Amino acid sequence: MSVSVRIPTILRTYTGGESEVKAEGASLRAVVADLEASYAGISARILDDAGKIRRFVNVYVGDEDVRFADGLDTATPDGAQISIIPAVAGG
Amino acid sequence: MALTPATDLGPATALVCRECGTTRDLGPFYACEECFGPLEIAYDFQGVTRESIASGPRNIWRYRGLLPVPANVADTPNTEPGLTRLVRADNLAESLGLQSLWVKDDSGNPTHSFKDRVVAVALAAARELGFKVLACPSTGNLANAVAAAAARAGIRSAVFVPSDLEAQKIITTAVYGGTFVTVDGNYDDVNRLASEIAGEQDDWAFVNVNVRPYYAEGSKTLGYEIAEQLGWRLPDQIVVPVASGSQLTKIDKAFQELIKLGLVEDRPYRVFGAQAAGCDPVAAAFKAGHDVVRPVKPDTIAKSLAIGNPADGPYVLDVARRTGGAVEDVTDAEVVEGIRLLARTEGIFGETAGGVTVATLRKLIDAGTLDPAAETVIINSGDGLKTLDAVAPVVAPSANIAPSLEAFRAAGLA
């Protein structure tokens, strides 16, 4: 299950400046774990101490905000486009 | 995008994360690198007095000493928003059973909504930060304000809106020129797209995304003006429409700053939030006693408030609870009735957000939540001419007659 993950500006220090990276995993939880394996430290920026998606992080699988789907258990089909976006925008 | 020694952001000193308190230097940043929380401007205010404010321009720049803008901000081309009317609303007060009511009528701004305030501050900061393009995702009012401000400043604008927006708001954006894109999606989709574009286009200042900490401060001027126009005092109660929640939290911030600066007496005030039932994530969280806001998919005629995932929702809850206020929501039918009530009692034609606020005021009074004996201010954030569809089905001329005195008499209009 290879997916593509868009990285927001403030996390690009972890990805060597890359704005889009490849990752593996059948669920968002597995994808985040795989990102951590490649880019140590990135998981703790996306997830809080309890392992939940941080209050001010929005994650999309395709066009769907995972909060409307199954959160970290949201399925990430092969070829899925995942976006991690700061939530503090708009209005 | 680097700061130069010439960068002048006035009394602003740093950016501080509202969630975890991490501080960083001023710059084009909006989310905390540690926790993604929103960054707020920290200040060192110097020499701001009632007199220094009164001697300033008759627009928001009279408060420039309290904003993240350069000292000479009033000298650069901008739309000069603010100092809109604070209307004593005795007729509306009487019809609702209130003793003292004021309407802060922000439809009087250059593009007819409060958004001119935030955009003017964002433009000034964006210039200092070295951005070249003024951009935004918008539900319409912001689109107008960004396109107009960029035209006046002589720079490029790039505006993104949901394609199902009111026709009036499409036209009143397009007329200013600039890059204007309608997107097949709702506001939250457009907002997400803008966040992604902001990560690619280094010299684009998305006013409510990557320069949001500066932009949001512009709403403080609503609070400053209300206090100044009341003769340098705070109202007992204020009702504010809630979309992202930024306007409400910044009015509270303004009141707190005025108290700390000794410009107004330190006395309790209550802040109430107003939402439409078709997009009520903050009201729902308030009523449920939650401190997190669960996003919704909006379905309401109040499109300027149709933000299903409001960035400042948690902070609206904080302010409402801290001040003894509340967050309430009203149906679309009540919104239409609110627009008509404000128009018929005070001659003010508000847009749907104004209708939400008036209807919420009424609901709060009826529920006994809001004190009818206490001095109250409500915000009309925009102009009814931009949301004509909301009232078109329910208002009409009294009669259609032939151009003769007989016809006038026959119609029973005397």
Side-chain angles (χ1 to χ4, degrees):
Chain A
M1 296 289 180
S2 179
V3 299
S4 185
V5 185
R6 291 211 183 104
I7 305 294
T9 311
I10 59 173
L11 293 184
R12 289 179 196 167
T13 48
Y14 294 93
T15 60
E18 290 295 318
S19 61
E20 190 142 8
V21 300
K22 293 287 177 194
E24 302 289 327
S27 71
L28 180 58
R29 191 184 306 280
V31 168
V32 173
D34 188 54
L35 285 175
E36 176 67 20
S38 305
Y39 311 105
I42 199 169
S43 173
R45 300 275 77 79
I46 302 166
L47 308 181
D48 65 18
D49 293 344
K52 292 182 180 164
I53 297 172
R54 285 184 181 274
R55 186 176 175 183
F56 287 96
V57 177
N58 288 343
V59 183
Y60 298 83
V61 174
D63 287 333
E64 190 74 10
D65 181 337
V66 299
R67 288 194 175 89
F68 288 110
D70 298 319
L72 281 169
D73 296 319
T74 301
T76 52
D78 196 38
Q81 175 71 55
I82 295 170
S83 293
I84 302 166
I85 296 175
V88 292
Chain B
M1 214 67 50
L3 299 190
T4 70
T7 303
D8 178 2
L9 291 166
T13 56
L15 294 165
V16 182
C17 176
R18 235 185 128 147
E19 282 296 289
C20 72
T22 299
T23 298
R24 69 178 301 172
D25 290 343
L26 291 169
F29 316 115
Y30 68 109
C32 173
E33 284 188 312
E34 297 298 318
C35 75
F36 279 77
L39 297 177
E40 284 260 335
I41 312 277
Y43 294 99
D44 179 16
F45 297 132
Q46 296 290 339
V48 179
T49 64
R50 291 182 183 178
E51 293 71 28
S52 73
I53 289 168
S55 67
R58 293 199 57 76
N59 54 53
I60 62 168
W61 303 132
R62 67 205 280 105
Y63 310 107
R64 66 190 179 283
L66 302 170
L67 297 169
V69 297
N72 69 347
V73 64
D75 302 331
T76 52
N78 72 89
T79 62
E80 301 178 0
L83 228 58
T84 54
R85 300 182 303 161
L86 183 69
V87 180
R88 185 167 187 93
D90 289 341
N91 299 330
L92 179 57
E94 188 180 350
S95 84
L96 294 174
L98 278 176
Q99 283 187 13
S100 177
L101 177 65
W102 303 83
V103 178
K104 180 62 171 167
D105 184 14
D106 242 22
S107 67
N109 276 308
T111 69
H112 311 282
S113 86
F114 88 103
K115 291 294 189 183
D116 290 315
R117 301 174 180 275
V118 281
V119 169
V121 174
L123 170 64
R127 277 181 169 137
E128 292 298 309
L129 295 169
F131 288 101
K132 303 296 183 212
V133 177
L134 204 63
C136 69
S138 173
T139 59
N141 282 323
L142 180 59
N144 293 179
V146 163
R152 173 103 181 99
I155 62 175
R156 181 183 170 196
S157 63
V159 170
F160 299 82
V161 299
S163 53
D164 71 346
L165 212 57
E166 297 96 337
Q168 291 90 4
K169 285 179 179 167
I170 299 280
I171 295 163
T172 52
T173 302
V175 72
Y176 297 110
T179 303
F180 178 35
V181 183
T182 59
V183 178
D184 292 330
N186 65 24
Y187 175 75
D188 296 293
D189 297 324
V190 180
N191 202 26
R192 173 201 162 179
L193 172 64
S195 295
E196 295 194 310
I197 296 171
E200 304 298 314
Q201 303 295 120
D202 284 344
D203 60 356
W204 287 28
F206 278 87
V207 295
N208 51 345
V209 181
N210 51 341
V211 292
R212 194 172 191 267
Y214 305 90
Y215 157 93
E217 292 293 284
S219 283
K220 292 195 305 179
T221 60
L222 269 167
Y224 301 146
E225 286 180 19
I226 289 165
E228 186 179 1
Q229 289 170 317
L230 286 173
W232 288 114
R233 60 186 175 78
L234 303 180
D236 297 319
Q237 309 178 121
I238 184 164
V239 187
V240 186
V242 172
S244 77
S246 174
Q247 183 185 139
L248 183 147
T249 60
K250 294 299 178 175
I251 288 173
D252 173 63
K253 186 177 182 182
F255 287 176
Q256 291 297 314
E257 288 174 350
L258 293 178
I259 290 169
K260 289 197 185 87
L261 288 164
L263 297 179
V264 297
E265 183 189 344
D266 184 1
R267 50 182 275 197
Y269 59 88
R270 301 165 75 199
V271 181
F272 297 86
Q275 294 209 293
C279 183
D280 67 343
V282 188
F286 181 86
K287 292 174 190 176
H290 295 163
D291 60 3
V292 293
V293 174
R294 185 175 169 75
V296 301
K297 304 217 167 179
D299 180 16
T300 170
I301 60 168
K303 290 179 183 170
S304 62
L305 302 183
I307 298 181
N309 192 0
D312 289 297
Y315 303 124
V316 169
L317 297 172
D318 291 346
V319 171
R321 288 178 178 139
R322 192 197 81 229
T323 64
V327 188
E328 187 52 271
D329 59 274
V330 291
T331 65
D332 283 359
E334 290 172 312
V335 173
V336 172
E337 195 43 48
I339 294 171
R340 297 173 79 188
L341 183 63
L342 179 62
R344 290 170 178 205
T345 55
E346 299 299 343
I348 297 171
F349 184 17
E351 66 147 42
T352 44
V356 168
T357 307
V358 171
T360 297
L361 171 67
R362 172 142 81 180
K363 192 167 177 180
L364 290 167
I365 295 166
D366 291 348
T369 312
L370 190 133
D371 180 359
E375 182 170 61
T376 304
V377 173
I378 63 171
I379 307 282
N380 177 44
S381 53
D383 193 322
L385 290 173
K386 294 198 214 179
T387 56
L388 290 172
D389 292 350
V391 289
V394 294
V395 296
S398 303
N400 177 55
I401 61 172
S404 71
L405 197 52
E406 290 75 15
F408 169 74
R409 286 181 182 138
L413 299 168

